[in-house]
Amino acid sequence: MILDVPGRPLRAAEIPAPVPAAGQVRLRVRACAVCRTDLHVVDGELPDPKLPLVPGHEIVGVVEAAGPGASRFKTGDRVGVPWLGWTCGECGDCRAGRENLCATARFTGYTLDGGYADFAVADERFCFPIPPAFPDAEAAPLLCAGLIGYRSLKKAGEAARLGLYGFGAAAHIVAQVARSQGREIFAFTRPGDSEAQDFARSKGAAWAGDSDAPAPAPLDAAIIFAPVGALVPAALRSVRPGGTVVCGGIHMSDIPSFPYEWLWRERSVCSVANLTRRDGEEFFALASRIPLELRANPCRLEEANEAVARLRSGRVQGAEVLVMNDR
Ligand SMILES: [Zn+2]
Ligand SMILES: [Zn+2]
């Protein structure tokens, strides 16, 4: 599926198997999850995508060819391709372990072609081996919802009581990781969304309620996954002194002004940008140890526009996943 012009539906197209360049592998795509970031790319909310573009950055595929010099994986290996597709390796951020901030980084399904296709190519250094415990469709959301969620959770520090604002694909994974660490989860959903609140409780939330209401007890930290700027002051009001509000998305509506008092007492607000390969290694090791229960809603590649629309409607529980492995 191809994005020709942001703001228009994706176009179905037969894409021939690409030839992997030096250092790349070619994958036969088995599954690709649909991320909220795809929605921002398709809708034109992120600047300067590669065009035309194959979206999708939560790819699970099987290696079927390797370019010159690529020897990390062998034919038949099952690997995952995340959002971070390439970094320069030379700038100050790359050398300091902050490759997520590399100014010339390239991103899968945004500035590089992604996984809404039967084939994908990827730089082998940025791929992850997929633990065998996870079927293709369930492994796919781990590659962004899981990984970015994990980085967001690290930014929340030691918080024992954690608020999650927006209970979609990322939160349903983070909640289970956080529960395995003994943390208490309070889930905030769009007001009146009792289905999402039930879903949150089924994934271990001790409390679930409306995002426009204060938390019933002070939070030690909060992670905001919903792209709604008004949730920043709302979360700050529910976080105890010294607590952190982590913004986990790539795009958010404007944050309304609020009294300094809500930030005072050493509360902080931070964002999470992209991921590092180290995040991925840590997260996949952790994910293999926790019995994660993942909710993947499979659909066919040709249904990508419908899957994106369902995500836009906000009525998705778990992750929408394009599944190609039955072809
Ligand atoms: Zn760099
Ligand atoms: Zn994503």
Side-chain angles (χ1 to χ4, degrees), residues 244-267:
T244 302
V245 173
V246 181
C247 302
I250 193 171
H251 175 82
M252 192 180 244
S253 56
D254 286 354
I255 301 170
S257 71
F258 55 89
Y260 175 59
E261 189 191 344
W262 298 359
L263 180 64
W264 191 58
R265 294 189 175 218
E266 304 202 339
R267 294 176 179 89

Side-chain angles (χ1 to χ4, degrees), residues 88-89 91 94 102:
C88 80
C91 69
C94 279
C102 176

Side-chain angles (χ1 to χ4, degrees), residues 32 64 124 127 168 194 211 255 265 309 312-313 323:
C32 185
E64 60 170 29
E124 65 168 3
C127 298
S194 58
S211 61
I255 301 170
R265 294 189 175 218
R312 191 183 285 112
S313 78
V323 175

Side-chain angles (χ1 to χ4, degrees), residues 12-304:
E14 279 295 321
I15 301 169
V19 176
Q24 287 185 332
V25 285
R26 183 176 75 229
L27 308 179
R28 166 69 76 157
V29 180
R30 305 278 289 268
C32 185
V34 179
C35 175
R36 180 164 287 282
T37 298
D38 301 344
L39 194 58
H40 298 314
V41 171
V42 169
D43 289 350
E45 289 168 325
L46 297 184
D48 305 322
K50 171 193 176 291
L51 290 175
L53 173 74
V54 179
H57 59 270
E58 302 184 275
I59 307 170
V60 173
V62 172
V63 174
E64 60 170 29
S71 58
R72 184 178 170 204
F73 300 106
K74 57 184 193 306
T75 303
D77 281 355
R78 192 172 66 136
V79 303
V81 185
W83 170 248
L84 188 72
W86 184 90
T87 57
C88 80
E90 293 170 358
C91 69
D93 285 317
C94 279
R95 283 185 302 193
R98 296 186 301 261
E99 63 183 359
N100 59 311
L101 301 181
C102 176
T104 53
R106 296 174 198 159
F107 302 104
T108 312
Y110 179 35
T111 54
L112 299 167
D113 279 329
Y116 287 18
D118 290 311
F119 302 98
V121 291
D123 185 320
E124 65 168 3
R125 298 170 300 169
F126 291 84
C127 298
F128 298 107
I130 299 291
F134 298 102
D136 297 330
E138 295 181 16
L142 298 177
L143 285 151
C144 184
L147 264 171
I148 301 286
Y150 174 69
R151 189 171 177 86
S152 303
L153 183 61
K154 285 205 295 186
K155 293 264 185 193
E158 297 292 309
R161 182 182 294 134
L162 181 68
L164 298 177
Y165 285 78
F167 207 89
H172 102 288
I173 298 172
V174 169
Q176 296 177 67
V177 174
R179 287 288 303 127
S180 79
Q181 298 169 333
R183 304 175 196 241
E184 186 178 32
I185 300 297
F186 284 11
F188 299 81
T189 72
R190 65 175 68 193
D193 191 348
S194 58
E195 281 180 38
Q197 291 165 12
D198 289 343
F199 181 55
R201 282 186 284 264
S202 79
K203 295 297 172 201
W207 175 91
D210 297 349
S211 61
D212 57 356
L219 305 172
D220 297 310
I223 304 174
I224 302 177
F225 290 118
V228 180
L231 292 174
V232 174
L236 275 171
R237 295 193 77 183
S238 287
V239 164
R240 65 162 175 76
T244 302
V245 173
V246 181
C247 302
I250 193 171
H251 175 82
M252 192 180 244
S253 56
D254 286 354
I255 301 170
S257 71
F258 55 89
Y260 175 59
E261 189 191 344
W262 298 359
L263 180 64
W264 191 58
R265 294 189 175 218
E266 304 202 339
R267 294 176 179 89
S268 55
V269 177
C270 69
S271 67
V272 165
N274 314 320
L275 69 135
T276 67
R277 283 172 280 179
R278 191 173 158 202
D279 294 329
E281 286 152 16
E282 290 174 7
F283 174 68
F284 278 108
L286 189 61
S288 300
R289 292 199 301 271
I290 304 167
L292 282 179
E293 278 180 36
L294 298 156
R295 170 85 68 96
N297 310 312
C299 46
R300 292 181 303 121
L301 175 60
E302 295 76 13
E303 297 171 317

